[in-house]
C-alpha cells in the first residue's frame, strides 16, 4: 500500500515531486512522528488515509476513521460548526491553514488537537487535503490551569485592602487592582504615571527609576485621592526580573496609613497631655498639702439677712460664667468664702481652686509664685516651679488682697487677664492658661488708682463684676446664727457641754460694732468657750474697742428696754411681717403667738 494514497500520490509522482525513494523516506517520517498524518477528499472531507498514531490519539481503530462523516461526528459539539466551517472556507481560499478544536475519544475523554492542513489542487480546484493532527491536550490543560490561577490571583489581589499596580519601563501603568482604581476614581491601565500622580510625580519617578535600575524603594508619601484630599501612605516598589535577568517593570504596593498616623499623633498628644497633667497634679498635691493645713473660717455661709441674700444672689448670677469678679469688703467679712462659693457653683468646680495671698508674699517672690520659674532663674532657684496660674489651669485662681501687688507684677497680671499668656521667670517661652480670676481687696482701689499705686487699666479689667460683702454690723440679725454655729463648733472641739447662749450675752454681741467683723466674732467666741465651764456660754472678756452709741445706751438701760428696741428694729426691717418666711418671728427664733404676746406686754405697736 502506498504511503500517500489515492490521487495525491499519482499527482505527486506525475509532477516529479515524489520518487520511490522519496516515498520511502516520507513513510519513515510519518511513522516516527507523534502527530497523526492524514489525507481527506477536499469535497467530502472523508478520510482516505490516517496514520497509525490515530489509535493512540482517540482510541478508535484506524478503519473507523475511513467511515463517512467520522471526522465531523467526533468533534466536540461545541466546536463542530466552527471547525467544519473553517475547514470549508480554508479549503477554498487557502493553500495552508491551521486551527484548534476538541475531539471526543473512545473512552469519553476530550482531546484538544491542533490541525495543520495543506490544500492540494488540480487545475486550480482543491482536490485533496493533507494534514497533521497534533495532541495539545496537556498544553491546553496547562493554559486553562494558568488562566484559572490568574483569575484567582486577580480576585485575591482585588480583594486586598492595599493598592497594587504594575508599571513598565516607560512608566506606564500595565495593571492595577480594584483598590488602586477606587483610590483614584478611574482605571489607570495604559496611562503614564504623570497623568495619575500629578502632584507627586517627581517623587514617584525618582523612586521608579531607582527600582528599574534593579534596586528597591520603600518610603512614605502623601497622595491625593479621588476627592482631592491627600492621605498619608506607605509605598513599596520591587523590580520585575525577566527570564533573561533584565528588569521589565516595577511592582508597586501602596497602603493607606493615614488612620495609623492620626492614631499615633493622638497617642503622642495624649502622652504629652498625660505628662503635663501628671506634673500639674504633683504640683497641685504639694499646694493642697500646704493648703489643707489652713483652717477656713467656716464650712458654709451662715446668715439670712437681706444684705447677705443680695450678695449671694449676685454670686449665683455670675457663678456659671467665666467673668472676672472683684470682691470688696472689710477685713474679716468672708471674702474668701464668697470666692469659694463662686467656684463651687461654677462649671470649674471639679478643677483646682488656687488661693494667692498677695499681701503675704514677699515682693521679690510674687512674680515667680504667680507665673512660675525655671531652674537657675535667680539665686536659690534650685529647681523648676510651676506658678499658681499653671496650677489653676481649667479652674479658678483667687487673688486675695489684690491691692498689695507691686506695679511691675500688675502689668504682667494685666496681660494674663487680656490674652491668657505669661512667661515663667527665666524662660522666654510664652505659655497660656485657662483660668477664671476672682480678686478680693479691703482697700479702696479707686483711691489707689488716683494715688498712682494701682494701674487704672488693671482696675477696670478686674472690676467687670463687683460684689461687695456687707460688714457684720450691717447684718446684725445674722449674729445669733453665727454665734450659735461657732459656739457649737468650738464646744465640740474642746469637749465642752455648752448648750445655750444667754440673752444678755446675745444682746451684747448684737450691740457691738465689730470692726474686725466675722473674724473678730469668731475669735471672741473661741475665747469664751475656753473660759465657760457650765452649760451656758460666758463671755471670755469684755467687748472693747470701738463701740456704737447704742452699745453705751444699752449698758445703762434695763433688759426690757433692750428687748423692746431689738424687736422694734427687727419688725421695721421685716416690714412688720410677723410670721412666715422672712417674718420677724422667724428672725427672732420665736413662735408667732409668743411674739404677739411679747408685743402686747412691751407695748409695741405698728406706727400709723
Amino acid at each position: 500500500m502506498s504511503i500517500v494514497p489515492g490521487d495525491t500520490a499519482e499527482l505527486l509522482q506525475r509532477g516529479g515531486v515524489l520518487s520511490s525513494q522519496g516515498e520511502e523516506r516520507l513513510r519513515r517520517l510519518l511513522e516516527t512522528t507523534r502527530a497523526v498524518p492524514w489525507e481527506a477528499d477536499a469535497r467530502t472531507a472523508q478520510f482516505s488515509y490516517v496514520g497509525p498514531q490515530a489509535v493512540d490519539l482517540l482510541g478508535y481503530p484506524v478503519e473507523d476513521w475511513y467511515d463517512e462523516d467520522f471526522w465531523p461526528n467526533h468533534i466536540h459539539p461545541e466546536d463542530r460548526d466552527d471547525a467544519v466551517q473553517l475547514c470549508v472556507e480554508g479549503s477554498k481560499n487557502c493553500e495552508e491553514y491551521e486551527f484548534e478544536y476538541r475531539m471526543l475519544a473512545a473512552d469519553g475523554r476530550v482531546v484538544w488537537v491542533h490541525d495543520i492542513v495543506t490544500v492540494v489542487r488540480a487545475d486550480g480546484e482543491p482536490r485533496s487535503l493533507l494534514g497533521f493532527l497534533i495532541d495539545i491536550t496537556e498544553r491546553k490543560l496547562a493554559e486553562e490551569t494558568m488562566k484559572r490561577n490568574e483569575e484567582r490571583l486577580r480576585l485575591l489581589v482585588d480583594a486586598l485592602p492595599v493598592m497594587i499596580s504594575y508599571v513598565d519601563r516607560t512608566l506606564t501603568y500595565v495593571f492595577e487592582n480594584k483598590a488602586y482604581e477606587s483610590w483614584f476614581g478611574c482605571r489607570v491601565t495604559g496611562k503614564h504615571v504623570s497623568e495619575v500622580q500629578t502632584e507627586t510625580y517627581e517623587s514617584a519617578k525618582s523612586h521608579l527609576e531607582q527600582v528599574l535600575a534593579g534596586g528597591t524603594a520603600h518610603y512614605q508619601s502623601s497622595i491625593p485621592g479621588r476627592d482631592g484630599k491627600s492621605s498619608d501612605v506607605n509605598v513599596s516598589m520591587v523590580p520585575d526580573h525577566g527570564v533573561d535577568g533584565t528588569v521589565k517593570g516595577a511592582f508597586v504596593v501602596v497602603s493607606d496609613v493615614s488612620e495609623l498616623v492620626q492614631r499615633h499623633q493622638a497617642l503622642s498628644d495624649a502622652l504629652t497631655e498625660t505628662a503635663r497633667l501628671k506634673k500639674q497634679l504633683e504640683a497641685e498635691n504639694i499646694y493642697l498639702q500646704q493648703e489643707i493645713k489652713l483652717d477656713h473660717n467656716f464650712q458654709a455661709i451662715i446668715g439670712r439677712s437681706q444684705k447677705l441674700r443680695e450678695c449671694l444672689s449676685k454670686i449665683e448670677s455670675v457663678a456659671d460664667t467665666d467673668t472676672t469678679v472683684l470682691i470688696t469688703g472689710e477685713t474679716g467679712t468672708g471674702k474668701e468664702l464668697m470666692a469659694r462659693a463662686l467656684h463651687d457653683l461654677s462649671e470649674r468646680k471639679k478643677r483646682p481652686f488656687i488661693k494667692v495671698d498677695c499681701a503675704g508674699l514677699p515682693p521679690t517672690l510674687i512674680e515667680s509664685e504667680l507665673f512660675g520659674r525655671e531652674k537657675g532663674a535667680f539665686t536659690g532657684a534650685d529647681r523648676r516651679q510651676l506658678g499658681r496660674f499653671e496650677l489653676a489651669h481649667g479652674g479658678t485662681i483667687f487673688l486675695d488682697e489684690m491691692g498689695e501687688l507691686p506695679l511691675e507684677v500688675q502689668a504682667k497680671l494685666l496681660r494674663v487677664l487680656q490674652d491668657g499668656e505669661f512667661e515663667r521667670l527665666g524662660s522666654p517661652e510664652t505659655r497660656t492658661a485657662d483660668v477664671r480670676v476672682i480678686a478680693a481687696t479691703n482697700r479702696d482701689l479707686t483711691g489707689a488708682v488716683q494715688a498712682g499705686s494701682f494701674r487704672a487699666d488693671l482696675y477696670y479689667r478686674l472690676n467687670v463684676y463687683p460684689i461687695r460683702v456687707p460688714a457684720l454690723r450691717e447684718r446684725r440679725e445674722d449674729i445669733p446664727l453665727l454665734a450659735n454655729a461657732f459656739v457649737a463648733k468650738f464646744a465640740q472641739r474642746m469637749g465642752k457641754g455648752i448648750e445655750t447662749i444667754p440673752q444678755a450675752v446675745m444682746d451684747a454681741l448684737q450691740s457691738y460694732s465689730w470692726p474686725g467683723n466675722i473674724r473678730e466674732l469668731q475669735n471672741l467666741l473661741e475665747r469664751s468657750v475656753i473660759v465657760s465651764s457650765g452649760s451656758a456660754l460666758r463671755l471670755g472678756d469684755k467687748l472693747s474697742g470701738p463701740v456704737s452709741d447704742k452699745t453705751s445706751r444699752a449698758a445703762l438701760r434695763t433688759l426690757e428696754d433692750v428687748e423692746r428696741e431689738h424687736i422694734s428694729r427687727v419688725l421695721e426691717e421685716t416690714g412688720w411681717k410677723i410670721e412666715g418666711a422672712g417674718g420677724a418671728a422667724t428672725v427672732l427664733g420665736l413662735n408667732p403667738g409668743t411674739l404677739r404676746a411679747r408685743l402686747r406686754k412691751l407695748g409695741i405697736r405698728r406706727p400709723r
Side-chain angles (χ1 to χ4, degrees), residues 469-517:
V469 182
L472 185 56
R473 62 181 173 275
E474 299 176 47
R475 41 183 287 218
R476 294 181 184 277
E477 57 268 44
D478 291 336
I479 292 177
L481 298 174
L482 290 166
N484 283 309
F486 286 141
V487 169
K489 171 185 174 182
F490 296 136
Q492 182 181 14
R493 180 193 300 173
M494 300 176 192
K496 297 292 186 76
I498 300 174
E499 299 177 355
T500 61
I501 301 176
Q503 187 61 46
V505 173
M506 191 66 74
D507 288 341
L509 296 176
Q510 287 188 282
S511 299
Y512 184 60
S513 61
W514 298 111
N517 292 292

Side-chain angles (χ1 to χ4, degrees), residues 209-503:
E209 289 175 347
Q210 175 182 335
V211 173
L212 293 175
T216 59
H218 305 279
Y219 63 98
Q220 263 200 352
S221 182
S222 181
I223 301 178
R226 63 195 305 172
D227 57 358
K229 181 180 178 182
S230 295
S231 297
D232 295 306
V233 295
N234 280 342
V235 183
S236 295
M237 298 179 178
V238 294
D240 172 30
H241 293 280
V243 293
D244 58 355
T246 60
V247 178
K248 305 298 182 182
F251 292 102
V252 182
V253 179
V254 182
S255 54
D256 183 0
V257 295
S258 55
E259 186 174 347
L260 291 176
V261 171
Q262 291 173 3
R263 289 181 180 177
H264 182 270
Q265 185 60 47
L267 179 59
S268 177
D269 293 344
L271 291 174
T272 302
E273 179 66 6
T274 300
R276 186 190 70 80
L277 291 175
K278 180 182 178 182
K279 291 181 179 179
Q280 181 174 337
L281 182 60
E282 291 172 350
E284 288 175 3
N285 285 337
I286 295 173
Y287 173 79
L288 291 175
Q289 286 172 7
Q290 297 170 348
E291 284 291 295
I292 201 69
K293 300 175 182 177
L294 302 178
D295 182 19
H296 300 299
N297 286 339
F298 41 81
Q299 301 300 317
I301 298 175
I302 300 173
R304 52 192 174 193
S305 64
Q306 182 62 31
K307 290 197 178 244
L308 182 61
R309 285 199 297 268
E310 291 173 0
C311 180
L312 295 180
S313 177
K314 285 189 173 184
I315 288 176
E316 286 182 333
S317 299
V318 76
D320 60 354
T321 71
D322 282 339
T323 302
T324 301
V325 176
L326 177 62
I327 302 176
T328 59
E330 298 177 7
T331 299
T333 52
K335 296 186 289 296
E336 180 182 346
L337 194 63
M338 298 299 176
R340 289 183 181 275
L342 265 172
H343 175 74
D344 291 340
L345 290 173
S346 72
E347 294 182 354
R348 297 173 178 263
K349 62 184 177 182
K350 294 183 179 180
R351 299 298 300 147
F353 176 87
I354 303 298
K355 175 189 173 184
V356 181
D357 184 2
C358 300
L361 291 173
T364 55
L365 295 180
I366 290 179
E367 183 178 352
S368 65
E369 286 294 324
L370 288 177
F371 309 118
R373 66 170 183 261
E374 294 292 340
K375 182 179 179 180
F378 53 83
T379 303
D382 56 352
R383 61 184 177 84
R384 187 178 67 176
Q385 175 180 305
L386 298 185
R388 302 296 177 87
F389 273 92
E390 286 185 82
L391 291 174
H393 182 73
T396 303
I397 189 167
F398 175 51
L399 303 175
D400 197 11
E401 301 302 339
M402 264 296 302
E404 307 301 324
L405 279 179
L407 282 171
E408 59 271 20
V409 179
Q410 292 179 27
K412 293 193 175 185
L413 179 60
L414 179 63
R415 182 187 175 198
V416 177
L417 294 178
Q418 288 176 333
D419 307 322
E421 296 179 346
F422 63 92
E423 288 89 25
R424 286 183 191 152
L425 200 63
S427 171
E429 181 182 354
T430 298
R431 303 178 185 277
T432 59
D434 173 22
V435 178
R436 200 259 183 90
V437 176
I438 301 175
T441 183
N442 61 357
R443 290 185 58 187
D444 177 13
L445 291 186
T446 304
V449 169
Q450 294 174 353
S453 62
F454 201 86
R455 294 178 63 107
D457 46 5
L458 177 57
Y459 170 71
Y460 292 121
R461 177 64 67 174
L462 291 171
N463 199 37
V464 177
Y465 193 90
I467 296 178
R468 178 181 175 274
V469 182
L472 185 56
R473 62 181 173 275
E474 299 176 47
R475 41 183 287 218
R476 294 181 184 277
E477 57 268 44
D478 291 336
I479 292 177
L481 298 174
L482 290 166
N484 283 309
F486 286 141
V487 169
K489 171 185 174 182
F490 296 136
Q492 182 181 14
R493 180 193 300 173
M494 300 176 192
K496 297 292 186 76
I498 300 174
E499 299 177 355
T500 61
I501 301 176
Q503 187 61 46

